[in-house]
Amino acid sequence: MEKDEQAYSEWPIYNGRQKFEHELIDRKISWFLTTQGILFAAYGITLDDSVNFGHARDFRTVVASIGLALSVATVVGVAAVINSKRRSFLAYRDFCKKQRIVPLEAHGGSEAQWGVSTPNTWVTLIPDVATPVLFIVGWLVVLLINLNSR
């Protein structure tokens, strides 16, 4: 098999891995945002003066704790998926180096790029990591306020 044919045969495998990992990130963030919205709504309902039940503070503590735990789990999961994307890219790049072929996405250069451009790909992943991190901070503040109001 010619080297160019080897590159073309590896490309769909690499591209499929990248697409799969990207879909995992999308699913994690979508479910995360849905659950966070529900938790914030539940928390908000207990702040209404017309809602009066004895364990509202305890309920808010539980909701904030669950929100915090989900946020931590999500940021860990998203970071792991980003690492999987990075490892897939490195495996494809190493394959191309071992075969002494120019990878398809190198755009005429000799170094494979992750996505369109490796630095740009890192920047585009910032919201995927920052979203759960911001919720971690938010839930920590809410939890601390709730615990201090006892």
Side-chain angles (χ1 to χ4, degrees):
M1 183 184 290
E2 191 176 304
K3 285 184 181 184
D4 287 342
E5 289 177 25
Q6 286 178 316
Y8 288 119
S9 69
E10 276 297 306
W11 177 254
I13 296 168
Y14 163 74
N15 202 36
R17 287 178 182 165
Q18 291 295 309
K19 183 179 178 184
F20 174 75
E21 299 298 344
H22 185 75
E23 288 171 359
L24 283 178
I25 290 173
D26 183 53
R27 274 187 264 161
K28 285 182 187 325
I29 295 297
S30 295
W31 278 104
F32 172 72
L33 291 174
T34 300
T35 58
Q36 294 299 306
I38 293 167
L39 288 171
F40 266 110
Y43 190 90
I45 288 171
T46 66
L47 297 175
D48 188 347
D49 289 338
S50 65
V51 176
N52 188 10
F53 61 96
H55 300 289
R57 282 191 180 142
D58 293 336
F59 179 75
R60 285 194 295 264
T61 301
V62 169
V63 169
S65 298
I66 290 170
L68 180 60
L70 283 172
S71 299
V72 170
T74 301
V75 79
V76 169
V78 168
V81 174
I82 289 170
N83 189 46
S84 294
K85 286 177 69 78
R86 184 187 67 81
R87 290 179 63 186
S88 170
F89 160 69
L90 294 175
Y92 178 71
R93 187 186 67 184
D94 290 347
F95 167 80
C96 290
K97 282 182 180 179
K98 286 178 186 172
Q99 299 297 320
R100 298 177 197 256
I101 54 177
V102 176
L104 296 177
E105 77 274 20
H107 302 291
S110 60
E111 185 66 28
Q113 292 293 308
W114 186 22
V116 174
S117 152
T118 302
N120 188 63
T121 297
W122 280 113
V123 170
T124 62
L125 292 168
I126 289 172
D128 297 322
V129 175
T131 301
V133 169
L134 291 172
F135 274 97
I136 289 170
V137 172
W139 282 117
L140 273 173
V141 169
V142 167
L143 189 59
L144 291 173
I145 289 170
N146 192 57
L147 291 173
N148 287 331
S149 68
R150 289 180 180 228

